[in-house]
């Protein structure tokens, strides 16, 4: 589901959403090649494990007004597995 909007490999271009390569530890809304929503730009901070879990679980709750939409309802275990995967994209 994520790959329909996001690339997840080094040097890949952004898609409908930003490339998620090395997203863990990166400043939120910081890819210079992607046009983020003002809602996400206003959050500040970095993509920690906790922030990623919260954002994936409820994008609008994390950043009201974000353009990120979820098309699939994920279980807590699936969200944690996804964040574990994203953390390995180095």
């Amino acid at each position: 589901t994520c790959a329909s909007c996001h690339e997840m490999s080094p040097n890949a271009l952004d898609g409908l959403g930003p490339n998620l390569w090395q997203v863990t530890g990166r400043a939120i809304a910081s890819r210079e090649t992607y046009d983020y929503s003002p809602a996400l730009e206003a959050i500040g901070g970095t993509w920690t494990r906790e922030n990623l879990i919260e954002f994936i679980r409820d994008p609008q709750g994390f950043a009201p007004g974000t353009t990120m939409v979820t098309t699939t309802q994920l279980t807590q275990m699936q969200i944690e597995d996804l964040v574990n995967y994203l953390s390995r994209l180095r």
Side-chain angles (χ1 to χ4, degrees):
T1 301
C2 303
S4 63
C5 295
H6 297 278
E7 291 292 333
M8 293 176 244
S9 59
N11 304 317
L13 299 175
D14 297 311
L16 208 52
N19 185 336
L20 298 178
W21 181 258
Q22 296 183 328
V23 67
T24 304
R26 184 166 76 199
I28 295 173
S30 64
R31 275 187 62 85
E32 294 179 12
T33 57
Y34 188 76
D35 186 25
Y36 293 92
S37 67
L40 201 54
E41 288 179 340
I43 295 295
T46 60
W47 284 120
T48 62
R49 177 177 177 76
E50 294 76 21
N51 284 344
L52 284 166
I53 289 171
E54 187 178 341
F55 185 63
I56 293 166
R57 181 183 307 123
D58 182 10
Q60 292 298 320
F62 183 82
T66 185
T67 55
M68 167 82 170
V69 294
T70 52
T71 57
T72 304
Q73 207 55 14
L74 300 174
T75 67
Q76 183 64 27
M77 178 73 84
Q78 289 171 319
I79 292 171
E80 290 180 22
D81 286 346
L82 177 57
V83 171
N84 288 339
Y85 171 74
L86 293 172
S87 296
R88 290 193 307 263
L89 297 178
R90 297 258 155 225

